[in-house]
Amino acid sequence: MSAQAKDNVFFFDVLPFAASLALLGASALALDAALHFGNLVWIGKLLGIPGILLIIFSFGYSLRKRKLISVGQPVELLHVHEIMAWAGSLFILVHAGIHFNAWLAWLAVWAMLINVCSGLTGKYLLQRVRKRFSATQARLREELVPEASIETQTHAASLALNVIRKWHQVHIPIASAFALLALTHIAVEACYWGFQ
C-alpha cells in the first residue's frame, strides 16, 4: 500500500467515524421497529436499565487510566469501554423512543449522543495524529536526520498532538453532563413510579 493510500484521511478516519454513528442509528431504528412489530414495546421501556449499566461499567477504563483500580490492561479496557458505551447507547436510544413530551429524557439522550460523537472523534482523530507523528519521526530517523532537526521539522505536529491530547478535557465534562441528566431522569422516573 502506498504512503498516499495510508494517509487517506477520509477512508481511514472519517468513513469509520461516520459508519459507527450510522450503524448506531440504524441499529436503534431496527431494534425499535422489531420490538414494535413483535408487540414487545415494554422491552424497549426496560432497556434503559441495562443501557445505563453498560455505560457505567464502561468507565472501568477511566478508573484504570487514572490508577483508581489496577485490574485489566488499559488497551483492552479501552476496547471494552468503546463496545459497552456503544451498546449502552443503543439500548438507551431504543428506550427513549419518540416521546416529545419527555424533555428531561431527551436532554439526557442528546447529551449521550454528543458524548458518543466526542468519544468517536477522540478515538479516530487522536489515533490518527499519533500515528502520523510517530511515522514522520521514524521516517526522519531512517533518513539519519539529526534529532534537533527532527524536533524542528515536527514541532507543528507536536503542538497539534498536544492540543488534541487535551480532547478529554471536553469529553469528560460532556460525559458528566450526560451523567447528571441521566441521574435526574432516573430520579424523576423513580418518583413518578411511586405515584402510580
Side-chain angles (χ1 to χ4, degrees):
M1 184 179 286
S2 71
Q4 187 176 7
K6 287 181 183 176
D7 287 342
N8 189 327
V9 173
F10 177 78
F11 187 75
F12 288 104
D13 300 310
V14 175
L15 197 57
F17 170 77
S20 294
L21 286 178
L23 183 61
L24 179 62
S27 299
L29 288 172
L31 182 55
D32 190 54
L35 291 175
H36 277 83
F37 182 75
N39 202 22
L40 300 169
V41 177
W42 61 272
I43 292 175
K45 292 179 181 178
L46 296 176
L47 283 179
I49 297 167
I52 202 71
L53 289 175
L54 282 168
I55 289 172
I56 289 169
F57 290 136
S58 78
F59 283 103
Y61 165 71
S62 297
L63 296 174
R64 176 65 170 98
K65 186 176 172 183
R66 286 161 184 76
K67 297 184 170 118
L68 297 172
I69 62 171
S70 59
V71 177
Q73 295 297 318
V75 173
E76 294 167 5
L77 288 174
L78 176 59
H79 186 65
V80 170
H81 168 77
E82 292 166 354
I83 291 169
M84 290 179 111
W86 191 91
S89 297
L90 170 66
F91 289 168
I92 289 173
L93 283 172
V94 174
H95 166 75
I98 307 227
H99 307 286
F100 294 109
N101 61 333
W103 61 271
L104 179 60
W106 272 102
L107 282 175
V109 167
W110 278 108
M112 178 194 72
L113 288 173
I114 292 168
N115 196 42
V116 167
C117 288
S118 168
L120 289 172
T121 299
K123 173 184 176 179
Y124 291 110
L125 186 60
L126 183 58
Q127 188 178 68
R128 174 78 175 165
V129 172
R130 274 187 190 147
K131 283 182 183 177
R132 183 178 294 226
F133 182 70
S134 296
T136 301
Q137 284 183 321
R139 181 181 52 79
L140 291 171
R141 285 190 180 108
E142 281 179 10
E143 295 172 3
L144 303 174
V145 174
E147 280 300 315
S149 183
I150 291 173
E151 283 185 34
T152 302
Q153 291 182 40
T154 60
H155 181 70
S158 175
L159 291 175
L161 182 58
N162 286 335
V163 168
I164 293 170
R165 281 184 179 145
K166 295 182 188 311
W167 144 86
H168 71 278
Q169 292 175 346
V170 172
H171 186 62
I172 291 171
I174 294 170
S176 300
F178 165 60
L180 179 64
L181 288 165
L183 288 172
T184 305
H185 168 65
I186 291 166
V188 167
E189 285 299 313
C191 291
Y192 179 71
W193 281 345
F195 290 112
Q196 285 185 345

